[in-house]
Amino acid sequence: MTLRDLFHQADNHPIWLIYYFCAIPIVCFLLFILVKDSNKAYRIKWIFSVLCFSVVLPGIFSLTLNLYLFLFERQSIWDFNLISQVLPIASMLLSLYLIRKIIAFDYIPGFEKLSTISTIIFGMMGLFWILDRTHIFAFSMIPFSFILIGFAVLLLVVKFILPKLF
């Protein structure tokens, strides 16, 4: 099964994706209503960890796929599939917003791993995009150390700006 086959299958049976990506924010909202005490939230931090991983990993994949299709494949924004390309990102943002209202991300086990993997993925996407858009004659005129410094700065910006957004 290829990735194209997987998305074709999801397009033919979208109800499972809709259930999944609507259920996680609903669970987060119910926890937001039920858990008012920070001690209770700290005791069930593993539930928040499972919720974060189950919504952030597909969200990061969807965001990366959208960036790839937009930057490299030149797909029009009008051709985006709302269920498989936009719903995971919206579900991720809403779920993270609700979880942040309940408990700080510092107390969720493994959350720093999610920010690290997203930093690496988006840094590599940025590097690949720069390499895709750079012409050979322009590339040879720029010292390689400047490219490495620019890549390091890009990684640091994504690493320290991304956690501030939530």
Side-chain angles (χ1 to χ4, degrees):
M1 175 178 263
T2 65
L3 194 57
R4 185 181 314 272
D5 295 336
L6 180 67
F7 277 94
H8 183 68
Q9 185 72 15
D11 288 341
N12 290 337
H13 306 287
I15 196 71
W16 296 107
L17 286 176
I18 294 171
Y19 284 156
Y20 181 78
F21 288 115
C22 290
I24 294 175
I26 290 171
V27 170
C28 292
F29 182 70
L30 291 174
L31 286 173
F32 176 72
I33 291 172
L34 296 174
V35 178
K36 295 294 182 185
D37 186 22
S38 61
N39 290 333
K40 286 183 186 177
Y42 185 73
R43 280 187 261 147
I44 60 171
K45 62 184 178 182
W46 293 101
I47 293 174
F48 294 115
S49 179
V50 169
L51 287 172
C52 282
F53 274 90
S54 62
V55 76
V56 170
L57 290 177
I60 289 174
F61 175 74
S62 179
L63 191 61
T64 306
L65 179 67
N66 288 339
L67 285 173
Y68 171 78
L69 291 173
F70 184 68
L71 295 176
F72 296 102
E73 295 291 325
R74 306 279 188 189
Q75 181 183 6
S76 173
I77 195 167
W78 299 110
D79 294 331
F80 276 2
N81 186 340
L82 292 178
I83 294 172
S84 63
Q85 291 179 275
V86 178
L87 184 62
I89 298 169
S91 177
M92 176 182 70
L93 293 175
L94 181 61
S95 298
L96 288 178
Y97 174 76
L98 289 170
I99 290 172
R100 177 71 175 156
K101 291 287 186 181
I102 301 168
I103 188 171
F105 289 142
D106 295 336
Y107 298 120
I108 298 175
F111 191 78
E112 67 277 354
K113 303 294 183 193
L114 290 174
S115 65
T116 303
I117 195 169
S118 64
T119 302
I120 291 170
I121 288 171
F122 292 125
M124 292 304 293
M125 285 292 288
L127 178 67
F128 290 151
W129 184 74
I130 289 170
L131 290 175
D132 184 52
R133 298 292 175 237
T134 304
H135 299 287
I136 297 298
F137 66 93
F139 185 80
S140 65
M141 298 174 103
I142 300 171
F144 189 68
S145 60
F146 288 168
I147 294 172
L148 290 178
I149 291 170
F151 180 67
V153 168
L154 177 70
L155 283 178
L156 290 174
V157 165
V158 171
K159 173 70 176 168
F160 292 115
I161 298 294
L162 187 66
K164 302 274 188 218
L165 293 177
F166 298 108

